[in-house]
Amino acid sequence: MATAVDREPADGEPESDFAAVADNGMPVGKLAAQTAQRIEASVIRQGWPVGESLGSEVDLRERLGVSRAVLREAVRLVEHHRVARMRRGPNGGLIVCAPDAGPATRAMVIYLEYVGTSVTDLLQARLLLEPIAAGLAAERITEEGIATLRATLESEIVHWDDPGVGSQDPLHPVLGQLSGNPVLHLFVDVLTRLTARYAHTSRRISKAEMHAAMETSHSAHKAVVDAVISDDGARAQTALTAHLESVAGWIEKHRVRRGQRIAGNVIEPELVEGPRAKLAEVVAARIHDDIAARGWQIGMVLGSETDLLARYGISRAVLREAVRLLEYHSVARMRRGPGGGLVVTAPEAQASVDTMALFLEYQGVTADDLRTVRNAIELGIVARVTARHAAGDKAVAERLAKAVRWSTAGPAEDQRKADLFHSELAALADNPVLTLFLAILTELFRRHAAGRDRPLPGDAAADQVQHVHQRILDAILQQDAGVARHRMRRHLDALMPWWH
Protein backbone atom coordinates (compact mmCIF):
# COMPACT_ATOMS: atom_id res chain seq x y z
CA MET A 1 0.00 0.00 0.00
CA ALA A 2 1.32 3.43 -0.90
CA THR A 3 2.09 5.84 1.91
CA ALA A 4 1.72 9.59 2.00
CA VAL A 5 5.33 10.06 1.05
CA ASP A 6 5.22 7.96 -2.12
CA ARG A 7 1.62 8.34 -3.32
CA GLU A 8 1.11 10.89 -6.10
CA PRO A 9 -2.01 13.09 -6.01
CA ALA A 10 -4.97 11.79 -7.94
CA ASP A 11 -6.71 13.84 -10.61
CA GLY A 12 -8.44 16.81 -9.06
CA GLU A 13 -6.07 17.01 -6.08
CA PRO A 14 -3.69 19.98 -5.76
CA GLU A 15 -0.67 19.63 -8.03
CA SER A 16 1.59 20.59 -5.14
CA ASP A 17 1.08 20.71 -1.40
CA PHE A 18 3.94 23.16 -0.95
CA ALA A 19 1.67 26.24 -0.84
CA ALA A 20 -1.26 24.60 1.00
CA VAL A 21 -2.20 25.43 4.59
CA ALA A 22 -1.81 23.05 7.52
CA ASP A 23 -4.36 22.61 10.33
CA ASN A 24 -2.54 25.16 12.50
CA GLY A 25 -2.83 27.82 9.79
CA MET A 26 0.84 27.74 8.82
CA PRO A 27 1.61 27.14 5.12
CA VAL A 28 2.50 23.49 4.54
CA GLY A 29 5.63 24.55 2.69
CA LYS A 30 6.98 26.54 5.65
CA LEU A 31 6.06 23.88 8.19
CA ALA A 32 7.57 21.19 5.96
CA ALA A 33 10.82 23.15 5.70
CA GLN A 34 10.95 23.45 9.50
CA THR A 35 10.20 19.74 9.87
CA ALA A 36 12.94 18.88 7.36
CA GLN A 37 15.41 20.94 9.41
CA ARG A 38 14.42 19.03 12.56
CA ILE A 39 15.04 15.72 10.78
CA GLU A 40 18.37 16.95 9.45
CA ALA A 41 19.46 18.24 12.87
CA SER A 42 18.69 14.79 14.28
CA VAL A 43 20.94 13.20 11.66
CA ILE A 44 23.78 15.60 12.54
CA ARG A 45 23.27 14.97 16.27
CA GLN A 46 23.56 11.21 15.68
CA GLY A 47 26.82 11.61 13.78
CA TRP A 48 25.28 11.03 10.34
CA PRO A 49 24.69 7.24 10.68
CA VAL A 50 24.54 6.26 7.01
CA GLY A 51 22.29 3.25 6.42
CA GLU A 52 20.32 3.54 9.64
CA SER A 53 16.57 4.15 9.75
CA LEU A 54 15.16 7.27 11.37
CA GLY A 55 11.79 5.56 11.67
CA SER A 56 8.75 4.59 9.64
CA GLU A 57 6.24 7.12 8.35
CA VAL A 58 4.00 6.47 11.37
CA ASP A 59 6.94 6.81 13.78
CA LEU A 60 8.01 10.09 12.22
CA ARG A 61 4.51 11.58 12.21
CA GLU A 62 4.06 10.79 15.89
CA ARG A 63 7.54 11.94 16.89
CA LEU A 64 7.40 15.18 14.92
CA GLY A 65 3.71 15.88 15.50
CA VAL A 66 2.89 16.71 11.89
CA SER A 67 0.30 15.62 9.34
CA ARG A 68 0.86 13.23 6.47
CA ALA A 69 0.90 16.13 4.00
CA VAL A 70 3.57 18.03 5.95
CA LEU A 71 5.70 14.93 6.44
CA ARG A 72 5.47 14.09 2.74
CA GLU A 73 6.84 17.51 1.75
CA ALA A 74 9.47 17.42 4.50
CA VAL A 75 10.69 14.03 3.32
CA ARG A 76 10.94 15.33 -0.24
CA LEU A 77 13.19 18.16 0.94
CA VAL A 78 15.31 15.80 3.03
CA GLU A 79 15.63 13.50 0.02
CA HIS A 80 16.57 16.38 -2.25
CA HIS A 81 19.34 17.35 0.19
CA ARG A 82 20.54 13.72 0.04
CA VAL A 83 20.32 13.49 3.83
CA ALA A 84 17.93 10.51 3.88
CA ARG A 85 15.57 8.64 1.58
CA MET A 86 12.25 6.93 2.25
CA ARG A 87 12.42 3.17 1.63
CA ARG A 88 9.19 1.21 1.36
CA GLY A 89 8.42 -2.38 2.28
CA PRO A 90 9.71 -4.59 5.11
CA ASN A 91 12.51 -2.97 7.13
CA GLY A 92 11.71 0.30 5.38
CA GLY A 93 11.57 3.81 6.74
CA LEU A 94 13.52 7.02 6.29
CA ILE A 95 17.08 5.77 5.74
CA VAL A 96 20.09 8.05 6.29
CA CYS A 97 22.23 8.30 3.17
CA ALA A 98 25.56 9.83 2.18
CA PRO A 99 25.01 13.14 0.35
CA ASP A 100 27.01 14.22 -2.68
CA ALA A 101 27.98 17.61 -4.04
CA GLY A 102 25.49 17.54 -6.92
CA PRO A 103 22.46 19.14 -5.20
CA ALA A 104 24.68 21.66 -3.42
CA THR A 105 26.37 22.74 -6.62
CA ARG A 106 23.11 22.87 -8.57
CA ALA A 107 21.45 25.04 -5.93
CA MET A 108 24.31 27.55 -6.01
CA VAL A 109 24.43 27.68 -9.80
CA ILE A 110 20.69 28.30 -9.97
CA TYR A 111 20.85 31.28 -7.66
CA LEU A 112 24.07 32.84 -8.95
CA GLU A 113 22.91 32.52 -12.54
CA TYR A 114 19.65 34.26 -11.71
CA VAL A 115 21.19 37.24 -9.88
CA GLY A 116 23.48 37.93 -12.84
CA THR A 117 26.86 37.13 -11.33
CA SER A 118 29.61 38.81 -13.34
CA VAL A 119 33.02 37.47 -14.28
CA THR A 120 34.51 40.18 -12.06
CA ASP A 121 32.53 38.83 -9.08
CA LEU A 122 33.79 35.31 -9.75
CA LEU A 123 37.43 36.31 -10.14
CA GLN A 124 37.36 38.42 -6.99
CA ALA A 125 36.15 35.39 -5.05
CA ARG A 126 38.70 33.13 -6.72
CA LEU A 127 41.56 35.50 -5.87
CA LEU A 128 40.52 35.40 -2.22
CA LEU A 129 40.23 31.62 -1.94
CA GLU A 130 42.33 29.76 -4.50
CA PRO A 131 45.78 31.01 -3.44
CA ILE A 132 44.97 29.73 0.05
CA ALA A 133 44.10 26.34 -1.43
CA ALA A 134 47.41 26.26 -3.32
CA GLY A 135 49.35 27.14 -0.17
CA LEU A 136 47.62 24.43 1.86
CA ALA A 137 48.15 21.90 -0.94
CA ALA A 138 51.88 22.63 -0.83
CA GLU A 139 51.93 22.08 2.95
CA ARG A 140 50.04 18.77 2.72
CA ILE A 141 51.26 17.31 -0.55
CA THR A 142 51.86 13.54 -0.64
CA GLU A 143 53.25 11.11 -3.21
CA GLU A 144 49.71 10.33 -4.25
CA GLY A 145 48.94 14.01 -4.58
CA ILE A 146 52.01 14.55 -6.74
CA ALA A 147 50.83 11.78 -9.08
CA THR A 148 47.37 13.36 -9.25
CA LEU A 149 48.77 16.79 -10.13
CA ARG A 150 51.02 15.43 -12.87
CA ALA A 151 48.20 13.34 -14.32
CA THR A 152 46.01 16.45 -14.39
CA LEU A 153 48.69 18.38 -16.29
CA GLU A 154 49.05 15.51 -18.74
CA SER A 155 45.29 15.44 -19.35
CA GLU A 156 45.40 19.10 -20.38
CA ILE A 157 47.77 18.27 -23.22
CA VAL A 158 45.63 15.31 -24.30
CA HIS A 159 42.54 17.55 -24.56
CA TRP A 160 44.11 20.50 -26.38
CA ASP A 161 42.16 19.55 -29.52
CA ASP A 162 38.90 19.49 -27.54
CA PRO A 163 38.38 23.04 -26.25
CA GLY A 164 35.08 22.11 -24.64
CA VAL A 165 36.95 19.78 -22.29
CA GLY A 166 40.09 21.85 -21.94
CA SER A 167 38.24 24.98 -20.85
CA GLN A 168 36.91 23.19 -17.77
CA ASP A 169 40.30 23.81 -16.07
CA PRO A 170 40.38 20.69 -13.83
CA LEU A 171 43.59 21.69 -12.02
CA HIS A 172 41.85 24.25 -9.81
CA PRO A 173 39.35 21.84 -8.18
CA VAL A 174 42.20 19.36 -7.76
CA LEU A 175 44.16 21.98 -5.81
CA GLY A 176 41.03 22.57 -3.75
CA GLN A 177 40.84 18.86 -3.02
CA LEU A 178 44.53 18.60 -2.12
CA SER A 179 44.17 21.53 0.28
CA GLY A 180 42.43 19.09 2.62
CA ASN A 181 39.77 21.72 3.32
CA PRO A 182 36.31 20.55 2.13
CA VAL A 183 34.92 24.10 2.17
CA LEU A 184 37.69 25.37 -0.11
CA HIS A 185 37.32 22.32 -2.35
CA LEU A 186 33.60 22.83 -2.88
CA PHE A 187 33.74 26.61 -3.29
CA VAL A 188 36.64 26.39 -5.76
CA ASP A 189 34.78 23.75 -7.76
CA VAL A 190 31.71 26.00 -8.06
CA LEU A 191 33.81 29.03 -8.99
CA THR A 192 35.69 27.08 -11.66
CA ARG A 193 32.48 25.77 -13.21
CA LEU A 194 30.90 29.21 -13.33
CA THR A 195 34.03 30.79 -14.79
CA ALA A 196 34.05 28.14 -17.51
CA ARG A 197 30.56 29.26 -18.50
CA TYR A 198 31.88 32.72 -19.23
CA ALA A 199 34.59 31.20 -21.39
CA HIS A 200 31.85 29.43 -23.36
CA THR A 201 30.00 32.72 -23.90
CA SER A 202 33.08 34.47 -25.26
CA ARG A 203 33.20 35.58 -28.88
CA ARG A 204 34.30 32.99 -31.42
CA ILE A 205 38.06 32.80 -31.76
CA SER A 206 40.31 30.90 -34.10
CA LYS A 207 41.65 27.45 -33.31
CA ALA A 208 45.19 28.85 -33.32
CA GLU A 209 44.24 31.52 -30.78
CA MET A 210 42.54 28.95 -28.56
CA HIS A 211 45.60 26.70 -28.67
CA ALA A 212 47.82 29.66 -27.75
CA ALA A 213 45.58 30.46 -24.78
CA MET A 214 45.59 26.84 -23.64
CA GLU A 215 49.38 26.67 -23.96
CA THR A 216 49.73 29.81 -21.84
CA SER A 217 47.34 28.36 -19.26
CA HIS A 218 49.21 25.05 -19.22
CA SER A 219 52.51 26.84 -18.65
CA ALA A 220 50.98 28.74 -15.71
CA HIS A 221 49.51 25.53 -14.31
CA LYS A 222 52.89 23.83 -14.54
CA ALA A 223 54.48 26.65 -12.54
CA VAL A 224 51.84 26.26 -9.83
CA VAL A 225 52.23 22.48 -9.73
CA ASP A 226 56.02 22.70 -9.54
CA ALA A 227 55.72 25.02 -6.55
CA VAL A 228 53.20 22.77 -4.80
CA ILE A 229 55.32 19.66 -5.36
CA SER A 230 58.35 21.55 -4.00
CA ASP A 231 56.42 22.35 -0.79
CA ASP A 232 56.80 26.04 -1.63
CA GLY A 233 53.45 27.46 -0.59
CA ALA A 234 54.40 31.12 -1.06
CA ARG A 235 55.56 30.54 -4.63
CA ALA A 236 52.44 28.46 -5.37
CA GLN A 237 50.21 31.27 -4.12
CA THR A 238 52.06 33.90 -6.14
CA ALA A 239 51.96 31.83 -9.32
CA LEU A 240 48.27 31.02 -8.95
CA THR A 241 47.36 34.66 -8.27
CA ALA A 242 49.17 35.75 -11.43
CA HIS A 243 47.40 33.02 -13.42
CA LEU A 244 43.95 34.01 -12.16
CA GLU A 245 44.62 37.65 -13.05
CA SER A 246 45.61 36.49 -16.53
CA VAL A 247 42.39 34.44 -16.83
CA ALA A 248 40.35 37.49 -15.84
CA GLY A 249 42.10 39.57 -18.49
CA TRP A 250 41.53 36.95 -21.20
CA ILE A 251 37.81 36.62 -20.46
CA GLU A 252 37.37 40.38 -20.30
CA LYS A 253 39.10 40.77 -23.67
CA HIS A 254 37.02 38.09 -25.39
CA ARG A 255 33.60 38.67 -23.84
CA VAL A 256 30.80 39.59 -26.19
CA ARG A 257 29.69 42.54 -24.08
CA ARG A 258 30.19 43.98 -20.62
CA GLY A 259 27.83 42.92 -17.89
CA GLN A 260 26.97 39.70 -19.69
CA ARG A 261 25.22 37.10 -17.59
CA ILE A 262 26.25 33.50 -17.41
CA ALA A 263 24.66 31.81 -20.39
CA GLY A 264 23.87 28.32 -21.60
CA ASN A 265 22.82 25.32 -19.53
CA VAL A 266 23.52 26.39 -15.98
CA ILE A 267 22.91 22.88 -14.69
CA GLU A 268 25.30 20.42 -16.26
CA PRO A 269 23.85 16.98 -17.11
CA GLU A 270 26.51 15.07 -15.22
CA LEU A 271 25.41 16.79 -12.02
CA VAL A 272 21.94 15.27 -12.16
CA GLU A 273 22.08 12.23 -14.38
CA GLY A 274 24.21 9.97 -12.24
CA PRO A 275 23.03 6.55 -11.12
CA ARG A 276 21.46 7.96 -7.94
CA ALA A 277 19.61 10.78 -9.63
CA LYS A 278 15.86 10.61 -10.02
CA LEU A 279 14.15 11.36 -13.30
CA ALA A 280 12.25 14.20 -11.65
CA GLU A 281 15.54 15.95 -10.86
CA VAL A 282 16.65 15.60 -14.47
CA VAL A 283 13.36 17.09 -15.65
CA ALA A 284 13.58 19.92 -13.12
CA ALA A 285 17.07 20.72 -14.41
CA ARG A 286 15.85 20.79 -18.02
CA ILE A 287 12.94 23.09 -17.15
CA HIS A 288 15.34 25.37 -15.30
CA ASP A 289 17.65 25.50 -18.30
CA ASP A 290 14.71 26.45 -20.51
CA ILE A 291 13.82 29.26 -18.11
CA ALA A 292 17.41 30.55 -18.07
CA ALA A 293 17.66 30.38 -21.87
CA ARG A 294 14.57 32.62 -22.14
CA GLY A 295 16.11 35.29 -19.94
CA TRP A 296 14.29 34.38 -16.70
CA GLN A 297 11.05 36.26 -17.39
CA ILE A 298 9.34 36.47 -13.99
CA GLY A 299 5.61 35.73 -14.28
CA MET A 300 5.88 33.99 -17.65
CA VAL A 301 3.75 30.84 -17.98
CA LEU A 302 5.82 27.98 -19.37
CA GLY A 303 2.74 25.93 -20.14
CA SER A 304 -0.05 23.93 -18.58
CA GLU A 305 0.51 20.51 -17.10
CA THR A 306 -0.70 18.95 -20.35
CA ASP A 307 1.70 21.11 -22.38
CA LEU A 308 4.66 20.18 -20.15
CA LEU A 309 3.85 16.46 -20.20
CA ALA A 310 3.95 16.51 -24.01
CA ARG A 311 7.03 18.76 -24.24
CA TYR A 312 9.21 16.68 -21.93
CA GLY A 313 7.70 13.27 -22.68
CA ILE A 314 7.21 12.27 -19.04
CA SER A 315 4.49 10.95 -16.74
CA ARG A 316 2.32 13.13 -14.57
CA ALA A 317 3.94 11.71 -11.43
CA VAL A 318 7.43 12.67 -12.60
CA LEU A 319 6.32 16.17 -13.63
CA ARG A 320 4.67 16.84 -10.30
CA GLU A 321 7.76 15.86 -8.36
CA ALA A 322 9.91 17.98 -10.68
CA VAL A 323 7.57 20.91 -10.00
CA ARG A 324 8.03 20.43 -6.25
CA LEU A 325 11.79 20.75 -6.68
CA LEU A 326 11.39 23.87 -8.80
CA GLU A 327 9.05 25.33 -6.19
CA TYR A 328 11.53 24.62 -3.42
CA HIS A 329 14.25 26.51 -5.30
CA SER A 330 11.73 29.27 -6.17
CA VAL A 331 12.46 28.71 -9.86
CA ALA A 332 8.80 28.22 -10.83
CA ARG A 333 5.43 27.54 -9.22
CA MET A 334 2.37 25.69 -10.50
CA ARG A 335 -0.68 27.96 -10.61
CA ARG A 336 -4.07 26.33 -10.85
CA GLY A 337 -7.25 27.55 -12.51
CA PRO A 338 -7.95 29.43 -15.75
CA GLY A 339 -4.82 30.93 -17.25
CA GLY A 340 -2.73 28.81 -14.91
CA GLY A 341 0.29 26.65 -15.52
CA LEU A 342 3.94 26.57 -14.47
CA VAL A 343 4.85 30.20 -13.72
CA VAL A 344 8.45 31.49 -13.57
CA THR A 345 9.37 32.95 -10.16
CA ALA A 346 12.44 34.63 -8.64
CA PRO A 347 14.91 32.19 -7.02
CA GLU A 348 15.92 32.69 -3.41
CA ALA A 349 19.31 32.09 -1.86
CA GLN A 350 18.07 29.92 1.03
CA ALA A 351 17.82 26.74 -1.04
CA SER A 352 21.51 27.09 -1.94
CA VAL A 353 22.45 27.93 1.63
CA ASP A 354 20.62 24.97 3.20
CA THR A 355 21.86 22.38 0.72
CA MET A 356 25.49 23.45 0.80
CA ALA A 357 25.61 23.77 4.59
CA LEU A 358 24.27 20.22 5.01
CA PHE A 359 26.75 18.78 2.55
CA LEU A 360 29.67 20.49 4.29
CA GLU A 361 28.46 19.28 7.68
CA TYR A 362 28.50 15.72 6.33
CA GLN A 363 32.03 16.29 5.00
CA GLY A 364 33.21 16.77 8.58
CA VAL A 365 34.34 20.38 8.36
CA THR A 366 36.63 21.27 11.26
CA ALA A 367 36.94 24.55 13.13
CA ASP A 368 40.21 25.24 11.29
CA ASP A 369 38.57 24.57 7.91
CA LEU A 370 35.79 27.00 8.70
CA ARG A 371 38.10 29.64 10.18
CA THR A 372 40.39 29.58 7.14
CA VAL A 373 37.64 30.20 4.62
CA ARG A 374 35.50 32.54 6.69
CA ASN A 375 38.49 34.72 7.55
CA ALA A 376 39.46 34.98 3.90
CA ILE A 377 35.94 35.96 2.84
CA GLU A 378 35.10 38.35 5.68
CA LEU A 379 38.49 40.08 5.71
CA GLY A 380 38.23 40.54 1.96
CA ILE A 381 34.74 41.96 2.40
CA VAL A 382 35.92 44.40 5.10
CA ALA A 383 38.65 45.71 2.81
CA ARG A 384 36.16 46.24 -0.04
CA VAL A 385 33.63 48.01 2.19
CA THR A 386 36.32 50.27 3.69
CA ALA A 387 37.36 51.27 0.17
CA ARG A 388 33.72 51.93 -0.73
CA HIS A 389 33.31 54.24 2.26
CA ALA A 390 36.57 56.01 1.42
CA ALA A 391 35.16 56.64 -2.06
CA GLY A 392 32.32 58.61 -0.50
CA ASP A 393 29.49 56.09 -0.30
CA LYS A 394 27.28 57.28 2.59
CA ALA A 395 25.25 54.06 2.60
CA VAL A 396 28.11 52.28 4.35
CA ALA A 397 27.84 54.29 7.58
CA GLU A 398 24.05 54.33 7.61
CA ARG A 399 23.46 50.64 6.98
CA LEU A 400 26.21 49.35 9.24
CA ALA A 401 25.22 51.63 12.13
CA LYS A 402 21.70 50.21 11.96
CA ALA A 403 23.07 46.66 11.85
CA VAL A 404 25.25 47.33 14.91
CA ARG A 405 22.23 48.52 16.91
CA TRP A 406 20.11 45.55 15.82
CA SER A 407 22.14 43.06 17.90
CA THR A 408 20.53 44.58 21.03
CA ALA A 409 17.48 46.38 19.59
CA GLY A 410 16.22 43.40 17.57
CA PRO A 411 13.50 41.14 18.98
CA ALA A 412 14.61 38.38 21.34
CA GLU A 413 13.08 35.69 19.12
CA ASP A 414 15.32 36.73 16.20
CA GLN A 415 18.09 34.17 16.57
CA ARG A 416 19.99 35.62 13.60
CA LYS A 417 20.07 39.27 14.61
CA ALA A 418 23.78 39.18 15.48
CA ASP A 419 24.44 38.02 11.90
CA LEU A 420 22.95 41.18 10.37
CA PHE A 421 26.19 43.15 10.71
CA HIS A 422 28.07 40.46 8.76
CA SER A 423 25.38 40.07 6.10
CA GLU A 424 25.19 43.86 5.62
CA LEU A 425 28.96 44.01 5.18
CA ALA A 426 28.69 41.32 2.52
CA ALA A 427 25.84 43.12 0.76
CA LEU A 428 27.83 46.39 0.75
CA ALA A 429 30.78 44.57 -0.83
CA ASP A 430 28.43 44.14 -3.82
CA ASN A 431 29.61 40.66 -4.77
CA PRO A 432 26.81 38.04 -4.86
CA VAL A 433 29.31 35.17 -4.73
CA LEU A 434 30.90 36.36 -1.50
CA THR A 435 27.47 37.14 -0.04
CA LEU A 436 26.24 33.61 -0.80
CA PHE A 437 29.42 31.94 0.45
CA LEU A 438 29.24 33.85 3.73
CA ALA A 439 25.57 32.92 4.18
CA ILE A 440 26.50 29.26 3.69
CA LEU A 441 29.26 29.44 6.31
CA THR A 442 26.94 31.18 8.76
CA GLU A 443 24.26 28.54 8.24
CA LEU A 444 26.84 25.76 8.56
CA PHE A 445 27.95 27.21 11.90
CA ARG A 446 24.35 27.47 13.10
CA ARG A 447 23.37 23.94 12.03
CA HIS A 448 26.54 22.47 13.52
CA ALA A 449 25.84 24.09 16.90
CA ALA A 450 22.16 23.07 16.84
CA GLY A 451 23.02 19.50 15.89
CA ARG A 452 25.23 19.23 18.96
CA ASP A 453 22.85 20.99 21.34
CA ARG A 454 25.28 23.90 21.68
CA PRO A 455 22.96 26.93 21.61
CA LEU A 456 24.63 30.11 20.40
CA PRO A 457 24.98 32.88 23.03
CA GLY A 458 22.13 35.01 21.64
CA ASP A 459 20.92 37.82 23.90
CA ALA A 460 23.32 36.81 26.67
CA ALA A 461 26.22 38.25 24.68
CA ALA A 462 24.30 40.92 22.73
CA ASP A 463 26.01 43.88 24.41
CA GLN A 464 29.46 42.39 23.84
CA VAL A 465 28.67 41.62 20.20
CA GLN A 466 27.39 45.15 19.67
CA HIS A 467 30.61 46.57 21.16
CA VAL A 468 32.80 44.46 18.88
CA HIS A 469 30.76 45.31 15.79
CA GLN A 470 30.94 49.01 16.66
CA ARG A 471 34.73 48.89 16.92
CA ILE A 472 34.95 47.25 13.49
CA LEU A 473 32.65 49.93 12.11
CA ASP A 474 34.74 52.69 13.74
CA ALA A 475 37.83 51.46 11.89
CA ILE A 476 35.92 51.31 8.59
CA LEU A 477 34.66 54.87 9.06
CA GLN A 478 38.23 55.98 9.83
CA GLN A 479 39.24 54.34 6.52
CA ASP A 480 41.69 52.11 8.37
CA ALA A 481 41.29 48.79 6.59
CA GLY A 482 44.17 47.18 8.49
CA VAL A 483 42.64 47.79 11.91
CA ALA A 484 39.18 46.83 10.66
CA ARG A 485 40.53 43.51 9.39
CA HIS A 486 42.44 42.95 12.65
CA ARG A 487 39.31 43.49 14.73
CA MET A 488 37.21 41.31 12.47
CA ARG A 489 39.74 38.47 12.69
CA ARG A 490 39.75 38.60 16.49
CA HIS A 491 35.95 38.65 16.48
CA LEU A 492 35.74 35.57 14.25
CA ASP A 493 38.31 33.72 16.37
CA ALA A 494 36.14 34.36 19.45
CA LEU A 495 33.24 32.51 17.77
CA MET A 496 35.18 29.29 17.26
CA PRO A 497 34.55 27.76 20.72
CA TRP A 498 30.90 27.29 19.72
CA TRP A 499 31.98 24.99 16.87
CA HIS A 500 33.25 22.17 19.09
Side-chain angles (χ1 to χ4, degrees):
M1 177 180 295
T3 67
V5 294
D6 57 61
R7 180 184 63 81
E8 289 298 331
D11 291 338
E13 288 187 312
E15 293 172 355
S16 174
D17 292 318
F18 209 73
V21 177
D23 292 339
N24 62 2
M26 179 180 292
V28 166
K30 184 175 181 179
L31 185 55
Q34 292 177 354
T35 303
Q37 286 198 5
R38 291 172 61 190
I39 294 171
E40 291 159 357
S42 174
V43 171
I44 294 171
R45 193 159 44 244
Q46 296 177 50
W48 217 295
V50 175
E52 292 188 14
S53 174
L54 298 174
S56 66
E57 179 196 351
V58 174
D59 294 335
L60 291 168
R61 285 175 55 197
E62 292 179 354
R63 188 185 316 152
L64 299 168
V66 295
S67 68
R68 297 174 69 192
V70 169
L71 180 63
R72 175 173 60 193
E73 294 298 340
V75 167
R76 290 186 190 281
L77 296 181
V78 170
E79 288 183 329
H80 187 56
H81 292 159
R82 299 293 200 276
V83 174
R85 186 167 295 281
M86 185 62 76
R87 185 171 67 195
R88 299 180 293 277
N91 302 317
L94 191 59
I95 309 300
V96 178
C97 57
D100 58 56
T105 304
R106 290 200 303 279
M108 293 185 70
V109 171
I110 287 171
Y111 179 73
L112 291 174
E113 186 277 336
Y114 167 71
V115 297
T117 302
S118 71
V119 67
T120 301
D121 297 331
L122 293 174
L123 268 298
Q124 286 173 349
R126 293 185 70 172
L127 284 166
L128 283 177
L129 298 177
E130 291 196 43
I132 297 173
L136 289 172
E139 291 178 13
R140 301 170 178 177
I141 194 66
T142 63
E143 293 284 345
E144 183 180 1
I146 291 172
T148 298
L149 287 173
R150 288 182 169 160
T152 302
L153 285 178
E154 182 63 29
S155 71
E156 290 182 352
I157 299 175
V158 171
H159 292 298
W160 272 10
D161 290 326
D162 186 357
V165 175
S167 63
Q168 293 175 11
D169 225 352
L171 177 66
H172 297 266
V174 168
L175 289 171
Q177 180 182 8
L178 294 177
S179 74
N181 184 318
V183 186
L184 276 175
H185 182 199
L186 201 51
F187 284 1
V188 169
D189 183 48
V190 169
L191 290 168
T192 304
R193 291 177 184 273
L194 290 172
T195 305
R197 298 189 190 287
Y198 274 108
H200 286 306
T201 61
S202 299
R203 65 173 175 82
R204 297 182 68 85
I205 61 176
S206 68
K207 188 174 182 179
E209 191 175 2
M210 177 60 77
H211 276 193
M214 294 178 72
E215 187 172 354
T216 299
S217 179
H218 180 72
S219 178
H221 285 176
K222 187 175 184 304
V224 174
V225 168
D226 288 345
V228 170
I229 291 175
S230 300
D231 300 344
D232 191 340
R235 181 158 59 94
Q237 290 180 320
T238 301
L240 186 54
T241 298
H243 171 51
L244 289 174
E245 290 172 345
S246 175
V247 169
W250 188 92
I251 295 177
E252 183 64 30
K253 176 182 177 182
H254 293 86
R255 276 198 298 161
V256 176
R257 65 181 186 277
R258 293 182 180 274
Q260 182 181 31
R261 286 185 172 221
I262 301 170
N265 293 335
V266 297
I267 299 182
E268 299 175 4
E270 66 268 21
L271 293 179
V272 294
E273 294 180 352
R276 297 175 58 193
K278 298 174 68 175
L279 180 56
E281 292 175 317
V282 177
V283 173
R286 289 174 179 165
I287 295 173
H288 167 266
D289 290 344
D290 287 346
I291 292 171
R294 299 183 188 192
W296 218 295
Q297 303 175 47
I298 306 301
M300 181 181 71
V301 179
L302 294 174
S304 66
E305 181 181 84
T306 302
D307 296 333
L308 297 171
L309 290 174
R311 185 182 310 165
Y312 296 102
I314 53 176
S315 69
R316 180 173 295 175
V318 169
L319 176 62
R320 287 177 171 172
E321 184 157 352
V323 167
R324 290 186 181 94
L325 296 177
L326 294 169
E327 289 180 335
Y328 174 64
H329 287 289
S330 297
V331 171
R333 184 170 298 281
M334 187 63 78
R335 184 172 66 200
R336 298 180 291 277
L342 191 61
V343 181
V344 178
T345 56
E348 299 174 355
Q350 197 58 45
S352 310
V353 171
D354 289 340
T355 314
M356 186 68 84
L358 281 165
F359 176 75
L360 290 174
E361 174 67 34
Y362 171 73
Q363 290 289 301
V365 172
T366 67
D368 285 339
D369 294 333
L370 180 62
R371 180 191 293 113
T372 296
V373 182
R374 186 165 184 177
N375 280 0
I377 291 174
E378 294 228 43
L379 299 184
I381 285 172
V382 165
R384 287 176 58 80
V385 173
T386 304
R388 180 171 173 176
H389 173 69
D393 191 334
K394 296 181 180 180
V396 170
E398 295 172 0
R399 291 174 60 176
L400 291 181
K402 181 179 180 180
V404 168
R405 293 192 298 271
W406 191 249
S407 60
T408 55
E413 64 271 15
D414 183 0
Q415 297 297 312
R416 300 171 184 265
K417 60 185 179 180
D419 297 332
L420 180 63
F421 181 73
H422 298 268
S423 60
E424 281 289 83
L425 275 170
L428 288 165
D430 197 26
N431 184 317
V433 182
L434 296 180
T435 300
L436 182 61
F437 282 4
L438 180 58
I440 289 165
L441 296 180
T442 303
E443 182 66 19
L444 172 62
F445 192 94
R446 187 170 298 281
R447 283 179 178 263
H448 184 87
R452 284 158 178 76
D453 295 323
R454 286 287 311 269
L456 295 175
D459 278 348
D463 289 337
Q464 182 181 354
V465 168
Q466 183 179 40
H467 175 71
V468 172
H469 287 173
Q470 183 62 56
R471 283 177 53 79
I472 296 170
L473 175 56
D474 290 343
I476 291 173
L477 298 181
Q478 293 163 12
Q479 302 175 27
D480 194 336
V483 171
R485 285 164 55 91
H486 168 74
R487 291 173 180 173
M488 177 61 81
R489 182 184 291 109
R490 289 174 62 88
H491 175 44
L492 296 176
D493 286 346
L495 295 174
M496 283 302 107
W498 274 271
W499 181 260
H500 300 290

